[in-house]
Amino acid sequence: MKAIGLAVLVIAIGVAPACTVTAPATVSLGEFEGRISRQVLVSTQDEYNSAARAAQPGDAIILASGVWRDFDLVLDAEGSESAPIHLLAEQPGQVVLSGQSSLRLGGQHLVVSGLVFKDGYTPLNEVISFRVDAERLAFNSRVTNTVIENYNNPDRVQRDTWVVMYGQNNEFDHNHLSGKLNSGPTMTVRLNSENSQNNNHHIHHNYFGPRPVFGSNGGETLRIGTSHYSLTRSGTLVENNFFDRCSGEVEIVSNKSGGNTYRGNTFYESRGTLTLRHGNGTLVEDNLFDGNGAPYTGGVRVINADQTIRNNLFRDLTGTRFSGALVVMNGVPDSPINRYHQVDGAAIVGNRFEQVSTIELGEGSDAERSAIPINSSFKNNIVIGSREVTPFNLYDDMSGIAFSENYTNLKPPAELSDGFVVLAQGDSVPLVTSSPDTFGVLKSETGVTWFPKPNAASPFEGGRTIEIGPGENQLFEAISTAAPGDEIVLKPGAYNEAKSIAVQMPVTVRAAEAGTVSLSFERRNLFLLSADGALKLSGLAVSGTSAPDNVGNSFIASTTRGGPGNHIVELHDMSFEDFEINRAFSIVTAAKGTFFDRVEVRNSSFRNVSGVPFKFDGETDDFGIYNVEYLIIADSTFENVRGSVASIYRGGRDESTFGPHAFITGSRFENIGAESAPLAVLHGAQNIKIENNQLVQSQPVRFVITTGIPKVAHAGNTDSNGEQVSALSTEDLRK
Amino acid sequence: MKAIGLAVLVIAIGVAPACTVTAPATVSLGEFEGRISRQVLVSTQDEYNSAARAAQPGDAIILASGVWRDFDLVLDAEGSESAPIHLLAEQPGQVVLSGQSSLRLGGQHLVVSGLVFKDGYTPLNEVISFRVDAERLAFNSRVTNTVIENYNNPDRVQRDTWVVMYGQNNEFDHNHLSGKLNSGPTMTVRLNSENSQNNNHHIHHNYFGPRPVFGSNGGETLRIGTSHYSLTRSGTLVENNFFDRCSGEVEIVSNKSGGNTYRGNTFYESRGTLTLRHGNGTLVEDNLFDGNGAPYTGGVRVINADQTIRNNLFRDLTGTRFSGALVVMNGVPDSPINRYHQVDGAAIVGNRFEQVSTIELGEGSDAERSAIPINSSFKNNIVIGSREVTPFNLYDDMSGIAFSENYTNLKPPAELSDGFVVLAQGDSVPLVTSSPDTFGVLKSETGVTWFPKPNAASPFEGGRTIEIGPGENQLFEAISTAAPGDEIVLKPGAYNEAKSIAVQMPVTVRAAEAGTVSLSFERRNLFLLSADGALKLSGLAVSGTSAPDNVGNSFIASTTRGGPGNHIVELHDMSFEDFEINRAFSIVTAAKGTFFDRVEVRNSSFRNVSGVPFKFDGETDDFGIYNVEYLIIADSTFENVRGSVASIYRGGRDESTFGPHAFITGSRFENIGAESAPLAVLHGAQNIKIENNQLVQSQPVRFVITTGIPKVAHAGNTDSNGEQVSALSTEDLRK
């Protein structure tokens, strides 16, 4: 796919032992060797601080291998171009900064390499900062061959950023940033003082690993600039980076400044788009946007003046609207700095669009966003697909974009047809400007060689199968010793659990034979999810009759106490009966501050429940935060439920999330909501489907629209006589 | 005060070394010696389990001194009356059960002594249970000389009970139970099977240490029975126990069964009452109810038939209504089992009431509770006080209570005057049935000798004074090394904090000289309270301008992550300016699941705040839970606040709490709530005072009554011209 001319840097410090050495020693310095005249090996924070204070050009301070806890690591020094000051790991990957550690750089010509941040989180706003404080910035400095993994504040709403570039002429390359879960972009470039503008930074060959859905604004992977300084030139080059499943929110990259270049990057299965949100004159070229058919994968969203998008490959992208393969926005006339500036002079040239869902033109057109694109061109692009339907959608007059010499095998809209050559079946697809292997970068060419990149296996796979028999606390014991991906198989019989079970990894629990296993529990919650906790249950008959006399029991609950995670719950072929001890008994409840990627219920039955079985309404602050991305209820039955069957709350008016989704299909509901509560309450959901359900003594679903352009499908719902009924009542709170 | 005839048991196992011994050894057995024929010293859980399986009458299993973690300790065995089976500490107080440990007893003639449960919480519903499971109960068994302290589930709403008695003829004596913070009674006696009824249990000489306000139903210290079995005879004797500041909710003791005796107990500074909630034929005698003038301290609340309250001393009790010194309730005609049965045949005889606020007769009288007390007597009681006003309140026709031969120095109500001899100034007070020293028990005669009982010092006292100077993270560093009660004094200058500060103990921070110290902070929260975290701040000028661009910042916040506690925040002589970075900036915010005893603001100023400065509305489940007991704002000024100044939410319809309280007095408010939000929102508060404030461009406080009979005072509020204005708008949601 890729034939980048640059050689990949191979760093081979290698041979030093992994143990801690306290006396100065010589380590292999690899690529840095020629510019180092003195080495100081340090093994305590005090030793480091002394060495840093005394550092001279050509020095290399070597951190001894081992775990450095709670290390407020500051390198504030003046190197020179020919003799930088280095901060190196004794052995790359063997120097771990954990607990509450961070790194700040200030001065000139500094080089940092080989560190790993994990098992902790920053006590500051940043993990790696190219400044010591607002006065003392870094220039001509480089961070390379460094890892930050899962270095998350245990409180999801505590905001921080892993890497922040200030100053000028800095380089961030061959690093690995993976698994950010808490609020705040993974990486930003700031322009908040004059000597951070026109910065000429180079961000390249980094591996941006999976960033799961955050469930709110604040999940960008890279942001350059802010609206406040967006008319300033940044001049950052973002090159040959691999964005792997970076799906935190609608903006993978949020470009908020001028004169940047995004070249040769790969965006793989990443939700959202590279968004040219603010600022002018940015170039996007030679990138690969490969959605691999994953939901909401998009390409480039264009706003502002003088943007160039050329020679990119957009492939297998499923996103629509704000998340299309290409989105050209309408602007706001005389826009304030934080709204939408008109697209003017966009050049969209020589790109290939292969199997993409949509190309959205004039997106966002409404009474406010009425300024159509002007002075723009769409030329020499190729648009091919195997579906009959063209991906182009026009939301306004697109006469300000000149379409010419494009090729497609899908009949374009009439307004654009002059600009296309329509290919017939069997025609070869012309190569307009370049060969396919010049798009993007290989994953293996990014990041570091010594730290594994996360794979894409299902969390419920890859473990052992453990068979257990009935009795007291058998499940507690089994899960206490389980490993991620394990499957616990229950032999026929009655299981009772007197303890709550903390679930902090993915685990499957299933009946050896459906219908032969009964399960009861004595605590407020049987399962308490935190961290990587995920549960797949199947074939169990669960009774609530042994639960304590306590308001608000829930079979499964999440908790912030074990740290953040994106949870999954699957309930297949389950039955739940008599969850009526006291009020407000639930099946799955989300605590405020926790998040479920997916709760999926299939072919299951629920009978006699005193509360809301699926309760995801803990985020009442209207900050745009919510508790569940997908709630799927299919082919199931609910009977005698005092609350609504489900409650989802997503407040706030920002448009930065794709969810929540609620899909309720093929299910039967009888006597729900004590005859007055709705079947479900979906406040602020973005995508709902209520289809082919039967409603008996049940009110329609209540859907409250608060923001965005939600997708809504509801059809085929019937009453007890098989007559069609409306299963949805909608209230629209948008202005 | 006390001259109990029983000798205090002195247990003197004493001399064994504190280290762990693995081979069998002989320890001093004290009072148990005569009935022990064999000792087995065990030092691992496996050794214990082997010894327990093999236990014979006359055996003593000795747990080696040390910490036993996660010990599911079960003694299921058959001793005999002359030769019980013992489970003893090698040295009392030196055997600590921590982590997720618990004790269950089943069988006959078992004796447990000398254990300490701390540094953890039970994974089950109970810490010490007089049963192994529903089938296997304990009889003729005893737990003595044992401590449970602060053994709290880190999640306040996870309900458990520290000691639960099942079976019959069991004894629980000379134990120390202190500091329960999570949901659920401290101790209960259950009657849920026939062989737990007519139980003849003896609960005596225990020290029930402080139980702080829980902030919801579920904070009882002792409950005997439940409404379901309340017409069954329990026959439990509760004798010579000391209840020290047991203030979890409105019922200190919840008697919910018949035929119990409460004799010779002391209730000291405990909010609420000994409540004869359900069941008949209970005797309350020789007890001391000493409120010591503390708020909401009460005596006995009488419901149901054949209750006898005789020869008790009620002293310095401030409680009213449900928390009066004596409360005789009206009943519900043909009451369902869980409502109020009519008072019939109550004998209230020979009690002394000294300086009590109220004696409430026919309390709760309303359309539903219309059944007045019948066949009852109030005789030979003494009611004396130094205030002019009689404590008696009559809420209905009290002709069913015969008043005779009582003495008082306070003119009784006309309806009762025939039953009183009114003493003149200088008359001596007759002793009707007994001498004063027969009431209650001394604290020193209860609990264990080797574990300290908590004192009553202010949490902010008793520490060092630490002086620090201005700069970066100086406060963070100082608090990191502080001890409980320390006071940090800030020299003049500018302080900036780049990190959040976890506060898990009481600490004072004050300016050496008010007005000379400025403080700014860079994270979402400067102070994060958990566990015993309490903060007293004075004389600081705080700016919000360095906070991150993040919705929902708060200067002080609580978190569930560090474990539960009852927090205190005092802000004196403070100024807060420019808390406007992003939306919803607060000064103090409570996370759901956390609780503040008191937030007190005096002589402070607040200017330009984008959110709700005092935000205690996280408990939106309507489970009766709330976040703050007292919010006090006095002599302060607020200007340009976009939200309400305060928001308190207490949902649910139960009447089991005294709070929340909101007192807003002597303060000035200008341009509050962006001209539409109320000055404050007090949902479900039980006691509010809005007095002598000035309101300029501010709406009245919004008070929503949801339950109870709230106390409301509002007067002396004026507008900018000094004209009186209504500062309160009330909505009543009670039926």
Side-chain angles (χ1 to χ4, degrees):
Chain A
M1 180 203 307
K2 182 65 179 77
I4 283 285
L6 291 173
V8 175
L9 299 172
V10 178
I11 298 164
I13 299 185
V15 294
C19 59
T20 299
V21 182
T22 52
T26 300
V27 300
S28 171
L29 298 170
E31 62 164 320
F32 308 113
E33 183 145 23
R35 298 194 292 173
I36 293 174
S37 48
R38 186 172 69 138
Q39 295 178 39
V40 185
L41 179 65
V42 296
S43 53
T44 68
Q45 295 190 26
D46 284 347
E47 287 177 18
Y48 170 79
N49 291 331
S50 300
R53 271 194 301 274
Q56 297 298 318
D59 276 6
I61 306 176
I62 317 283
L63 296 181
S65 292
V67 176
W68 297 69
R69 274 192 71 83
D70 301 337
F71 190 4
D72 180 12
L73 178 55
V74 177
L75 181 60
D76 187 352
E78 300 288 324
S80 67
E81 185 168 1
S82 59
I85 294 173
H86 297 74
L87 171 59
L88 306 178
E90 186 181 14
Q91 186 173 338
Q94 299 301 318
V95 172
V96 174
L97 290 114
S98 74
Q100 303 214 344
S101 295
S102 59
L103 167 65
R104 289 179 284 162
L105 303 177
Q108 292 276 353
H109 295 290
L110 310 175
V111 176
V112 176
S113 177
L115 310 182
V116 177
F117 289 85
K118 65 177 186 182
D119 302 328
Y121 59 98
T122 180
L124 305 170
N125 282 316
E126 300 160 3
V127 179
I128 298 177
S129 180
F130 283 77
R131 72 176 193 187
V132 174
D133 56 35
E135 274 69 51
R136 184 69 178 162
L137 313 187
F139 300 88
N140 302 300
S141 292
R142 178 182 179 201
V143 172
T144 184
N145 204 30
T146 283
V147 171
I148 306 179
E149 197 195 46
N150 299 340
Y151 202 63
N152 294 309
N153 195 298
D155 182 352
R156 286 171 65 86
V157 301
Q158 291 286 351
R159 186 181 176 93
D160 57 38
T161 305
W162 281 3
V163 179
V164 183
M165 295 183 86
Y166 300 88
Q168 290 165 328
N169 302 313
N170 293 317
E171 187 176 6
F172 187 78
D173 68 286
H174 293 88
N175 300 293
H176 173 125
L177 307 179
S178 182
K180 189 164 199 289
L181 294 178
N182 63 318
S183 179
T186 308
M187 176 167 180
T188 64
V189 175
R190 299 296 305 271
L191 281 70
N192 54 345
S193 64
E194 202 173 321
N195 52 7
S196 288
Q197 299 163 5
N198 277 303
N199 54 52
N200 194 36
H201 295 321
H202 193 190
I203 300 169
H204 65 97
H205 291 93
N206 298 292
Y207 174 71
F208 292 96
R211 170 135 207 200
V213 175
F214 177 53
S216 166
N217 188 5
E220 305 94 334
T221 294
L222 174 63
R223 193 190 73 209
I224 300 185
T226 57
S227 62
H228 188 74
Y229 297 97
S230 59
L231 297 181
T232 305
R233 187 175 181 280
S234 173
T236 297
L237 172 57
V238 179
E239 192 175 39
N240 296 331
N241 301 284
F242 196 95
F243 294 85
D244 188 9
R245 292 164 281 165
C246 293
S247 300
E249 55 137 278
V250 298
E251 300 185 7
I252 309 168
V253 176
S254 186
N255 184 79
K256 292 185 168 176
S257 50
N260 297 308
T261 300
Y262 298 88
R263 178 185 295 140
N265 303 286
T266 295
F267 297 84
Y268 182 73
E269 285 192 5
S270 294
R271 290 188 182 200
T273 60
L274 161 50
T275 302
L276 306 181
R277 186 66 189 85
H278 296 299
N280 305 317
T282 280
L283 170 62
V284 179
E285 67 176 357
D286 300 343
N287 301 286
L288 169 62
F289 296 86
D290 184 357
N292 198 29
Y296 296 109
T297 45
V300 178
R301 189 153 67 101
V302 183
I303 305 145
N304 308 290
D306 302 325
Q307 314 289 29
T308 301
I309 295 91
R310 71 179 177 210
N311 194 40
N312 301 283
L313 173 55
F314 300 89
R315 177 162 84 183
D316 298 329
L317 298 166
T318 67
T320 64
R321 307 300 307 245
F322 276 37
S323 193
L326 175 73
V327 187
V328 180
M329 295 289 291
N330 259 21
V332 175
D334 299 317
S335 174
I337 194 143
N338 65 344
R339 290 297 292 157
Y340 285 84
H341 286 247
Q342 185 173 33
V343 173
D344 183 351
I348 302 162
V349 179
N351 302 286
R352 292 174 66 98
F353 297 88
E354 299 180 0
Q355 311 288 358
V356 303
S357 286
T358 60
I359 294 174
E360 311 284 22
L361 303 177
E363 172 64 47
S365 170
D366 59 18
E368 184 206 17
R369 285 183 291 220
S370 61
I372 59 173
I374 55 173
N375 304 320
S376 296
S377 61
F378 188 96
K379 184 176 176 184
N380 285 352
N381 299 289
I382 299 169
V383 181
I384 54 176
S386 56
R387 297 187 310 160
E388 294 287 295
V389 58
T390 176
F392 285 97
N393 291 310
L394 279 66
Y395 298 97
D396 209 327
D397 169 15
M398 287 299 110
S399 60
I401 307 178
F403 285 78
S404 61
E405 297 174 56
N406 301 290
Y407 295 82
T408 184
N409 68 341
L410 303 164
K411 190 170 182 301
E415 300 93 319
L416 310 182
S417 59
D418 286 355
F420 281 86
V421 174
V422 179
L423 304 166
Q425 189 78 23
D427 287 357
S428 65
V429 178
L431 295 178
V432 178
T433 57
S434 57
S435 68
D437 62 3
T438 61
F439 301 107
V441 64
L442 288 174
K443 181 159 70 171
S444 58
E445 294 179 357
T446 63
V448 302
T449 55
W450 39 262
F451 200 90
K453 295 178 174 69
N455 66 25
S458 158
F460 294 115
E461 290 173 3
R464 303 161 299 169
T465 295
I466 300 160
E467 199 173 55
I468 65 172
E472 286 285 305
N473 299 325
Q474 296 302 304
L475 207 48
F476 178 93
E477 299 298 336
I479 292 182
S480 298
T481 58
D486 280 359
E487 177 186 55
I488 297 165
V489 178
L490 276 56
K491 294 186 212 172
Y495 294 73
N496 182 64
E497 301 293 322
K499 305 177 185 178
S500 285
I501 302 175
V503 179
Q504 305 198 322
M505 62 183 71
V507 62
T508 299
V509 178
R510 72 171 171 86
E513 189 184 340
T516 65
V517 170
S518 69
L519 173 62
S520 58
F521 58 102
E522 298 181 9
R523 301 303 308 275
R524 178 184 176 85
N525 311 118
L526 176 55
F527 297 108
L528 262 173
L529 304 184
S530 65
D532 294 328
L535 263 182
K536 181 174 178 175
L537 306 181
S538 84
L540 314 177
V542 189
S543 163
T545 53
S546 299
D549 186 5
N550 193 13
V551 66
N553 293 324
S554 184
F555 176 64
I556 298 173
S558 55
T559 170
T560 60
R561 293 191 40 77
N566 282 37
H567 307 301
I568 299 172
V569 169
E570 294 186 12
L571 304 176
H572 295 179
D573 306 312
M574 299 285 290
S575 86
F576 294 87
E577 281 211 14
D578 300 330
F579 282 62
E580 294 187 303
I581 302 281
N582 212 311
R583 291 176 298 125
F585 208 147
S586 288
I587 308 299
V588 183
T589 311
K592 186 174 167 128
T594 66
F595 190 71
F596 289 75
D597 265 340
R598 181 162 49 89
V599 174
E600 183 185 303
V601 181
R602 293 190 188 276
N603 195 32
S604 295
S605 68
F606 302 82
R607 197 157 170 276
N608 305 335
V609 181
S610 69
V612 173
F614 297 95
K615 189 163 162 46
F616 301 97
D617 54 8
E619 301 292 352
T620 52
D621 288 328
D622 291 339
F623 292 167
I625 305 173
Y626 55 99
N627 291 128
V628 64
E629 185 67 11
Y630 288 90
L631 173 63
I632 299 163
I633 295 173
D635 306 323
S636 296
T637 62
F638 293 78
E639 193 181 342
N640 306 332
V641 176
R642 286 194 65 81
S644 299
V645 161
S647 180
I648 292 176
Y649 192 98
R650 193 277 193 207
R653 306 184 64 88
D654 64 283
E655 297 172 78
S656 47
T657 67
F658 296 115
H661 305 68
F663 302 153
I664 302 175
T665 59
S667 296
R668 185 174 190 283
F669 300 93
E670 181 170 350
N671 188 21
I672 307 300
E675 296 189 22
S676 65
L679 177 61
V681 178
L682 309 176
H683 184 107
Q686 293 299 301
N687 191 331
I688 74 173
K689 190 190 294 180
I690 316 291
E691 290 181 344
N692 304 322
N693 302 291
Q694 189 181 29
L695 278 65
V696 181
Q697 290 175 269
S698 302
Q699 304 299 316
V701 169
R702 177 175 160 79
F703 176 40
V704 182
I705 304 178
T706 57
T707 187
I709 310 165
K711 270 178 101 161
V712 180
H714 64 120
N717 301 292
T718 59
D719 64 13
S720 55
N721 301 318
E723 302 288 328
Q724 296 284 321
V725 293
S726 169
L728 192 68
S729 86
T730 302
E731 181 183 4
D732 193 340
L733 300 182
R734 295 170 301 185
K735 282 192 192 123
Chain B
M1 181 201 310
K2 184 64 179 76
I4 284 286
L6 292 171
V8 175
L9 297 170
V10 178
I11 298 165
I13 301 188
V15 295
C19 61
T20 300
V21 181
T22 52
T26 301
V27 299
S28 169
L29 299 170
E31 61 164 322
F32 308 112
E33 183 146 22
R35 298 194 291 172
I36 291 173
S37 49
R38 187 171 67 139
Q39 296 177 39
V40 185
L41 179 66
V42 296
S43 53
T44 69
Q45 294 190 27
D46 284 345
E47 285 177 17
Y48 170 79
N49 289 330
S50 301
R53 269 193 302 273
Q56 297 297 320
D59 277 6
I61 306 175
I62 317 284
L63 296 181
S65 293
V67 176
W68 298 68
R69 273 193 71 83
D70 302 338
F71 191 3
D72 179 12
L73 178 55
V74 177
L75 182 59
D76 186 353
E78 299 288 324
S80 67
E81 186 168 0
S82 60
I85 294 173
H86 297 74
L87 172 58
L88 305 177
E90 186 181 13
Q91 185 172 338
Q94 299 301 316
V95 172
V96 175
L97 291 113
S98 74
Q100 303 214 345
S101 296
S102 58
L103 167 65
R104 289 179 284 162
L105 304 177
Q108 294 276 354
H109 295 290
L110 310 175
V111 176
V112 176
S113 177
L115 309 182
V116 177
F117 289 86
K118 65 177 185 181
D119 302 329
Y121 60 98
T122 180
L124 306 171
N125 283 316
E126 300 159 3
V127 179
I128 297 177
S129 179
F130 281 77
R131 74 175 192 184
V132 175
D133 55 36
E135 275 69 50
R136 184 70 176 161
L137 312 186
F139 300 88
N140 303 300
S141 293
R142 179 182 179 202
V143 172
T144 185
N145 203 31
T146 283
V147 171
I148 307 179
E149 198 196 45
N150 299 340
Y151 202 63
N152 293 309
N153 194 300
D155 182 351
R156 285 172 66 88
V157 301
Q158 291 287 351
R159 185 182 176 93
D160 57 38
T161 306
W162 280 3
V163 179
V164 183
M165 296 185 88
Y166 300 89
Q168 290 164 329
N169 304 311
N170 293 318
E171 187 176 6
F172 187 78
D173 68 285
H174 292 89
N175 300 294
H176 172 124
L177 308 179
S178 182
K180 189 164 199 288
L181 295 178
N182 64 317
S183 179
T186 307
M187 176 169 180
T188 64
V189 176
R190 299 297 303 273
L191 280 70
N192 55 345
S193 64
E194 204 173 319
N195 53 7
S196 288
Q197 298 163 5
N198 276 302
N199 54 52
N200 194 37
H201 294 323
H202 195 189
I203 299 169
H204 64 98
H205 291 94
N206 298 293
Y207 174 72
F208 292 96
R211 171 138 207 197
V213 174
F214 177 53
S216 165
N217 188 4
E220 306 94 333
T221 293
L222 174 63
R223 195 191 70 209
I224 301 184
T226 58
S227 62
H228 188 73
Y229 298 97
S230 59
L231 297 181
T232 305
R233 186 175 182 280
S234 173
T236 298
L237 172 58
V238 179
E239 193 176 37
N240 296 331
N241 301 286
F242 195 95
F243 294 85
D244 187 9
R245 292 164 280 166
C246 293
S247 300
E249 55 137 280
V250 296
E251 301 185 9
I252 309 167
V253 176
S254 184
N255 185 79
K256 293 186 169 178
S257 50
N260 297 309
T261 300
Y262 298 88
R263 179 184 293 141
N265 303 287
T266 296
F267 296 84
Y268 181 73
E269 286 192 6
S270 294
R271 290 188 182 201
T273 60
L274 161 51
T275 302
L276 307 181
R277 187 65 189 83
H278 297 300
N280 306 318
T282 280
L283 170 62
V284 179
E285 67 176 359
D286 300 343
N287 300 288
L288 170 62
F289 295 86
D290 183 357
N292 197 28
Y296 296 109
T297 44
V300 179
R301 188 154 67 101
V302 184
I303 305 145
N304 309 289
D306 302 326
Q307 314 288 31
T308 301
I309 295 91
R310 70 180 179 213
N311 194 40
N312 300 285
L313 174 55
F314 300 89
R315 178 163 80 186
D316 298 330
L317 298 166
T318 66
T320 64
R321 306 303 305 247
F322 277 37
S323 193
L326 175 73
V327 187
V328 180
M329 296 288 292
N330 258 21
V332 175
D334 300 319
S335 174
I337 191 138
N338 65 343
R339 289 297 291 157
Y340 284 83
H341 286 247
Q342 186 173 33
V343 172
D344 183 352
I348 302 162
V349 180
N351 301 288
R352 293 174 66 97
F353 297 89
E354 299 181 358
Q355 311 288 358
V356 304
S357 285
T358 61
I359 294 174
E360 311 284 21
L361 303 177
E363 173 64 47
S365 170
D366 59 18
E368 183 206 17
R369 286 184 290 221
S370 60
I372 60 174
I374 55 174
N375 304 319
S376 297
S377 62
F378 188 97
K379 186 176 176 183
N380 285 352
N381 299 290
I382 299 168
V383 181
I384 53 175
S386 56
R387 296 188 310 160
E388 294 287 296
V389 57
T390 175
F392 286 96
N393 291 311
L394 279 65
Y395 298 98
D396 209 327
D397 170 14
M398 288 297 110
S399 60
I401 307 178
F403 284 79
S404 62
E405 297 174 54
N406 300 291
Y407 295 83
T408 184
N409 68 340
L410 304 164
K411 189 169 184 301
E415 302 92 318
L416 310 182
S417 58
D418 286 356
F420 281 86
V421 174
V422 178
L423 304 167
Q425 189 78 21
D427 288 356
S428 66
V429 178
L431 294 178
V432 178
T433 58
S434 57
S435 68
D437 62 3
T438 62
F439 302 107
V441 65
L442 288 174
K443 181 159 72 171
S444 59
E445 294 178 357
T446 63
V448 302
T449 54
W450 41 262
F451 200 91
K453 296 179 173 69
N455 66 24
S458 158
F460 294 115
E461 291 174 0
R464 302 160 297 169
T465 294
I466 302 159
E467 198 173 55
I468 65 173
E472 285 286 306
N473 299 324
Q474 297 302 304
L475 206 47
F476 178 92
E477 299 298 337
I479 293 182
S480 299
T481 59
D486 279 359
E487 178 186 54
I488 297 164
V489 178
L490 277 57
K491 295 186 211 170
Y495 295 72
N496 181 63
E497 301 293 321
K499 305 177 186 180
S500 284
I501 302 175
V503 179
Q504 304 198 322
M505 63 183 71
V507 61
T508 299
V509 177
R510 71 170 173 85
E513 188 183 342
T516 65
V517 170
S518 68
L519 173 63
S520 57
F521 59 102
E522 298 182 8
R523 300 303 306 275
R524 177 184 177 84
N525 311 118
L526 177 55
F527 297 108
L528 261 172
L529 303 184
S530 64
D532 294 328
L535 264 181
K536 182 173 179 174
L537 306 181
S538 84
L540 314 176
V542 189
S543 162
T545 52
S546 299
D549 185 5
N550 194 11
V551 65
N553 294 325
S554 185
F555 177 62
I556 297 173
S558 54
T559 170
T560 61
R561 294 193 39 80
N566 282 36
H567 307 301
I568 299 172
V569 169
E570 294 185 11
L571 305 176
H572 296 181
D573 306 312
M574 299 284 289
S575 86
F576 295 87
E577 281 213 11
D578 300 329
F579 282 63
E580 295 187 302
I581 301 281
N582 211 313
R583 290 179 296 127
F585 208 146
S586 287
I587 308 300
V588 183
T589 311
K592 183 173 168 132
T594 67
F595 189 72
F596 288 75
D597 266 340
R598 183 162 47 91
V599 174
E600 183 184 303
V601 180
R602 294 190 188 277
N603 195 32
S604 295
S605 68
F606 301 83
R607 195 155 173 279
N608 305 334
V609 181
S610 69
V612 174
F614 297 95
K615 189 164 160 46
F616 301 95
D617 55 7
E619 302 290 352
T620 52
D621 287 329
D622 289 338
F623 294 166
I625 306 173
Y626 54 99
N627 291 127
V628 66
E629 185 68 10
Y630 288 90
L631 173 63
I632 299 162
I633 295 173
D635 306 323
S636 295
T637 62
F638 293 77
E639 192 181 343
N640 306 331
V641 177
R642 287 194 64 79
S644 299
V645 161
S647 179
I648 291 176
Y649 193 97
R650 192 276 194 208
R653 305 184 66 86
D654 65 285
E655 297 172 77
S656 47
T657 66
F658 296 115
H661 306 68
F663 302 153
I664 302 175
T665 59
S667 295
R668 185 172 189 283
F669 301 93
E670 180 169 351
N671 187 21
I672 307 299
E675 294 188 24
S676 65
L679 178 61
V681 178
L682 309 176
H683 183 107
Q686 293 298 303
N687 192 333
I688 73 174
K689 190 190 293 178
I690 315 291
E691 289 181 345
N692 304 323
N693 302 291
Q694 188 181 30
L695 279 65
V696 180
Q697 291 175 270
S698 302
Q699 304 300 314
V701 170
R702 177 176 160 80
F703 176 40
V704 181
I705 305 178
T706 58
T707 189
I709 309 164
K711 270 179 103 158
V712 180
H714 64 118
N717 301 293
T718 59
D719 64 13
S720 56
N721 301 318
E723 302 289 327
Q724 296 283 320
V725 293
S726 168
L728 192 68
S729 87
T730 302
E731 180 184 5
D732 193 341
L733 299 183
R734 296 171 300 184
K735 280 192 194 123

